[in-house]
Amino acid sequence: MNMVVGITGGIGCGKSSVTDQLKRLNVDIIDADIIAREIVEPGKFALRKIVEHFGKEVLLPDGSLDRAKLRVIIFSEKEKKDWLEDLLHPLIKDEIRTQIKSASSEYVVLSSALLLETGQKNLVDMVVVVDIPETLQIERTTLRDSNSSELVKKIIDSQIKRDERLSRADIVIDNSNSLDELSSKIKKLHSDLKKKANDL
């Protein structure tokens, strides 16, 4: 069984910059965000349930999920967010398990923004947290997604608190500075993780 490394971080922390580089180093990456998108594609069970619950206004004209609209709805009312998570999280977890079984690299990465908030933490052997200060999270996310700083702040508030995330990390990668600096940290991380995987 491969060693499974969970990589997480708050919105805008640069988790995907880390996993993109690890992928180039031939590490198998399981991305919970991609799985979450795939399970709500047209024709899938989860999308039918979402439309039954929230109505057809959460669909785009082509019949796919209007993620931006759904995000606004669920971040305005906690019960709606809870309902959606109860539907999606078990489906996502099942697919993650399937992908872990078929991974073949020395260690496999599970990239998930909600690693510590959901039962996904139980699927990994160690946790790597990509971290930046909250002010930088807001700045980077509003630039990247054209979301308002208020919505980004709501998303940050809905995620696990930064201190708690850091306290549950086995390894912390500070991504406050340049991409070059991040790159050298990832090379070291890769070499440390390969060594750990081989020692198992």
Side-chain angles (χ1 to χ4, degrees), residues 132-190:
I132 57 174
E134 189 177 299
T135 48
L136 202 48
Q137 274 185 276
I138 294 169
E139 189 184 306
R140 286 183 182 175
T141 309
T142 48
L143 275 173
R144 181 190 70 188
D145 297 347
S146 310
N147 282 328
S148 68
S149 52
E150 291 76 25
L151 180 59
V152 176
K153 186 86 175 66
K154 267 187 185 171
I155 293 168
I156 290 170
D157 290 344
S158 79
Q159 294 182 329
I160 193 169
K161 296 285 168 273
R162 184 183 178 203
D163 289 350
E164 190 183 344
R165 189 187 290 120
L166 290 171
S167 74
R168 293 168 72 181
D170 297 299
I171 297 172
V172 175
I173 301 282
D174 176 9
N175 185 25
S176 305
N177 301 309
S178 69
L179 274 174
D180 283 348
E181 190 177 312
L182 179 65
S183 203
S184 59
K185 286 177 181 173
I186 293 167
K187 284 181 186 131
K188 182 180 184 315
L189 174 71
H190 179 55

Side-chain angles (χ1 to χ4, degrees), residues 51-137:
V51 173
E52 278 171 23
H53 193 79
F54 293 109
K56 286 204 168 113
E57 63 270 20
V58 296
L59 292 178
L60 290 165
D62 67 358
S64 63
L65 183 62
D66 187 337
R67 300 173 69 80
K69 188 170 277 183
L70 186 62
R71 185 183 285 156
V72 171
I73 292 169
I74 64 168
F75 284 108
S76 64
E77 283 184 53
K78 187 178 181 305
E79 309 80 70
K80 290 180 176 175
K81 183 170 176 285
D82 290 346
W83 180 89
L84 188 67
E85 287 175 352
D86 288 345
L87 170 71
L88 297 182
H89 287 170
L91 298 171
I92 293 168
K93 202 169 171 184
D94 285 348
E95 180 56 27
I96 289 169
R97 278 203 190 92
T98 302
Q99 292 192 22
I100 287 172
K101 282 191 186 120
S102 60
S104 59
S105 52
E106 287 172 277
Y107 66 91
V108 55
V109 164
L110 168 58
S111 169
S112 174
L114 297 175
L115 183 78
L116 301 173
E117 290 93 322
T118 62
Q120 292 171 16
K121 185 185 184 298
N122 305 329
L123 302 173
V124 305
D125 300 302
M126 63 185 307
V127 174
V128 175
V129 168
V130 185
D131 181 63
I132 57 174
E134 189 177 299
T135 48
L136 202 48
Q137 274 185 276

